[in-house]
Amino acid sequence: MNQIAAAPRVVVLDHAGAVAADVAGRIADRLRARPSAVLGLATGETMRPVHGDLVRRHREEGLSFAGAASFNLDDYVGLPERHPASFRRFMDETLFDHVDIDPARTHLPDGNAADLGREAMDYEAAIAAAGGIDLQLLGIGANGHIAFNEPGSDFASRTRVVGLAASTRAAGQPSFAGSGDVPVLGITMGIASILEARRIVLVATGRGKADAVARAVKGPLDPACPASILRTHPDAVMVCDRAAAAGLS
Ligand code: GLP
């Protein structure tokens, strides 16, 4: 697959703090326009300051999540929910515990489900039953992955169990400090599932993401760089700091 696709919209801001403020502002705008918005959320260090800015807006500006629902992209398989590195715990500690979202309406795929194939199907069904995702936040892996859709993932993929790339496991290892190794499997929304979101905001900060961003924006439209598919989405924007945008002319 190598056809020309429309260039994605790229917004380049001076530093990571400006990126977080911009992205949180996009979520706040959506929530104000549609208090019952269905948010697609993401984990990772890139999201920490975004969540921080959302918490600040909740406290200082009255931004409310009371009517909203959320669906996260992914989690590890086989990690206890309260493990320090579980994505549920990250979401609770960086966002959910500090805003007025109804915990019952926050969803992550359950990497401890007895039947993971069934869990994947149920997760897709729950998103559909909620009316689909209004705004999906995405990070990007240094290898171009989105969620846990590693290079080579089919653009038509749906929510499923996947093997994690060695580089993804290495990047995740610091959050496991002293508590074991990064699991070898994850459960993730698929690329086709992600593309069904009505709006997508990819967030990239730091020099370590510059190659992946350049490939996503200017490289071939190819599963070797899963994020390249965002160029085909009618309402996707990449918000980057200068460091992450270093490979764009
Ligand atoms: C993990 C997550 C992705 C995230 C990526 C980048 O692989 N599954 O959703 O985009 O990490 O994380 P970070 O923001 O820490 O670089």
Side-chain angles (χ1 to χ4, degrees):
M1 214 176 184
N2 202 0
Q3 72 261 35
I4 305 295
R9 257 176 349 112
V10 181
V11 173
V12 182
L13 300 168
D14 275 340
H15 50 80
V19 168
D22 177 276
V23 172
R26 291 170 191 269
I27 296 168
D29 288 349
R30 195 81 284 267
L31 279 171
R32 291 209 173 90
R34 185 160 193 256
S36 63
V38 179
L39 302 175
L41 299 177
T43 54
E45 291 308 305
T46 312
M47 295 303 155
R48 216 180 267 281
V50 175
H51 293 176
D53 202 81
L54 288 170
V55 171
R56 183 195 63 75
R57 284 168 192 265
H58 171 67
R59 289 184 179 147
E60 295 175 9
E61 299 169 9
L63 177 67
S64 178
F65 296 75
S70 72
F71 289 87
N72 265 71
L73 289 165
D74 50 16
D75 207 341
Y76 293 116
V77 165
L79 207 59
E81 192 176 274
R82 299 321 298 167
H83 187 284
S86 87
F87 289 179
R88 162 57 75 179
R89 184 141 170 200
F90 178 92
M91 292 306 298
D92 287 348
E93 290 180 354
T94 62
L95 183 62
F96 297 151
D97 287 351
H98 310 288
V99 297
D100 58 348
I101 197 163
D102 177 355
R105 284 208 293 264
T106 66
H107 308 271
L108 285 88
D110 180 5
N112 291 301
D115 182 343
L116 290 164
R118 166 108 243 154
E119 168 64 14
M121 287 196 326
D122 289 350
Y123 200 67
E124 296 248 349
I127 293 171
I133 289 172
D134 291 304
L135 190 159
Q136 177 69 59
L137 281 188
L138 289 178
I140 184 169
N143 64 1
H145 77 207
I146 48 176
F148 275 145
N149 295 284
E150 302 286 16
S153 295
D154 199 313
F155 285 156
S157 56
R158 311 291 318 184
T159 302
R160 68 204 185 289
V161 172
V162 292
L164 302 181
S167 63
T168 299
R169 296 185 66 225
Q173 193 63 57
S175 45
F176 281 71
S179 50
D181 287 333
V182 178
V184 293
L185 299 177
I187 180 168
T188 183
M189 279 170 60
I191 295 180
S193 329
I194 290 169
L195 290 177
E196 285 170 2
R198 287 180 271 281
R199 181 173 294 173
I200 295 177
V201 179
L202 181 141
V203 193
T205 55
R207 184 66 185 80
K209 300 297 171 66
D211 289 349
V213 167
R215 289 171 66 214
V217 174
K218 303 192 303 185
L221 182 62
D222 191 300
C225 180
S228 64
I229 195 63
L230 299 176
R231 280 138 61 176
T232 67
H233 191 280
D235 189 356
V237 61
M238 299 188 186
V239 185
C240 308
D241 66 359
R242 286 201 185 285
L248 306 175
S249 48

